[in-house]
Amino acid sequence: SQTIHQWPATLVQPVGSPLSLECTVEGTSNPNLYWYRQAAGRGLQLLFYSVGIGQISSEVPQNLSASRPQDRQFILSSKKLLLSDSGFYLCAWSISGGYNEQFFGPGTRLTVL
Amino acid sequence: DQQVKQNSPSLSVQEGRISILNCDYTNSMFDYFLWYKKYPAEGPTFLISISSIKDKNEDGRFTVFLNKSAKHLSLHIVPSQPGDSAVYFCAAHTGTASKLTFGTGTRLQVTL
């Protein structure tokens, strides 16, 4: 069966510090991968998605970047965090091609102070 | 531009009764719709989906209805149980890389 891991679960960072959140998927090959953010009281906003190694599409302009160095690894980064980067970050995967539901990881609660 | 809207931020229903969660969308290119359930501090879990070629899909206590002409879908939960208390998100598929556009969610509280 497939599983998705995210770490860390919670993170408190000062403004201006760097960020690296990691997501890995097990039990599947060549998945589509996604990063979402849920701000307080808001819905899920798609930040990035990837259909293959090294292929990243950005959905919204922002202070963040994403990378996919391996087939089942997706990383969300920032060089300098802003207060507005606080939120709940979720990684998800889906089978590539067709109409497929996405499966979400447990999320990372990021607080920027 | 919110293409998927859930206009009711919260809903309270008695245990055993029907819960009806609503969702409206504006993009006629959406062709596949999904409902997710989310508990606090956890990732959403997939509940049920419906293709745009259907108007109803049922799975146990959960039924999703789609009205394409009205660009409206709803999730019915019968009977509602206390464990159903969570935030429910509807989502629409846009056809590229299984990208989903999510609504803002409705918090369901099932009371005893």
Side-chain angles (χ1 to χ4, degrees), chain A residues 77-93:
Chain A
S77 304
S78 173
K79 292 182 178 178
K80 287 185 178 182
L81 283 169
L82 306 172
L83 286 174
S84 58
D85 291 324
S86 293
F88 191 55
Y89 288 84
L90 289 155
C91 180
W93 74 273

Side-chain angles (χ1 to χ4, degrees), chain B residues 3 10 21 68 87 110 112:
Chain B
Q3 296 188 66
S10 64
L21 297 104
K68 280 186 65 178
V87 177
V110 179
L112 297 174

Side-chain angles (χ1 to χ4, degrees), chain B residues 31-98:
Chain B
D31 53 8
Y32 184 63
F33 302 88
L34 307 90
W35 284 94
Y36 283 82
K37 174 181 180 180
K38 184 182 182 301
Y39 293 116
E42 294 184 9
T45 53
F46 169 72
L47 270 178
I48 192 169
S49 61
I50 187 167
S51 165
S52 59
I53 62 172
K54 294 186 176 182
D55 54 17
K56 177 182 175 181
N57 186 28
E58 192 171 354
D59 183 2
R61 296 187 297 115
F62 302 93
T63 303
V64 57
F65 295 91
L66 176 62
N67 182 332
K68 280 186 65 178
S69 61
K71 294 190 176 68
H72 177 83
L73 65 156
S74 60
L75 174 68
H76 292 209
I77 306 173
V78 183
S80 300
Q81 299 173 354
D84 296 329
S85 297
V87 177
Y88 289 78
F89 290 97
C90 67
H93 181 269
T94 55
T96 303
S98 295

Side-chain angles (χ1 to χ4, degrees), chain A residues 22-65:
Chain A
E22 189 163 344
C23 170
T24 58
V25 181
E26 295 177 356
T28 187
S29 296
N30 194 33
N32 292 335
L33 295 172
Y34 312 85
W35 278 111
Y36 288 87
R37 176 171 58 205
Q38 184 184 17
R42 305 287 297 277
L44 299 172
Q45 182 184 36
L46 179 63
L47 302 175
F48 302 95
Y49 70 94
S50 172
V51 299
I53 295 175
Q55 299 180 60
I56 308 294
S57 297
S58 175
E59 285 296 291
V60 293
Q62 59 204 304
N63 184 41
L64 302 168
S65 62

Side-chain angles (χ1 to χ4, degrees), chain A residues 10-13 19 81 85-89 108-112:
Chain A
T10 59
L11 191 59
V12 180
Q13 292 285 97
L19 173 73
L81 283 169
D85 291 324
S86 293
F88 191 55
Y89 288 84
T108 295
R109 169 71 60 193
L110 172 66
T111 303
V112 182

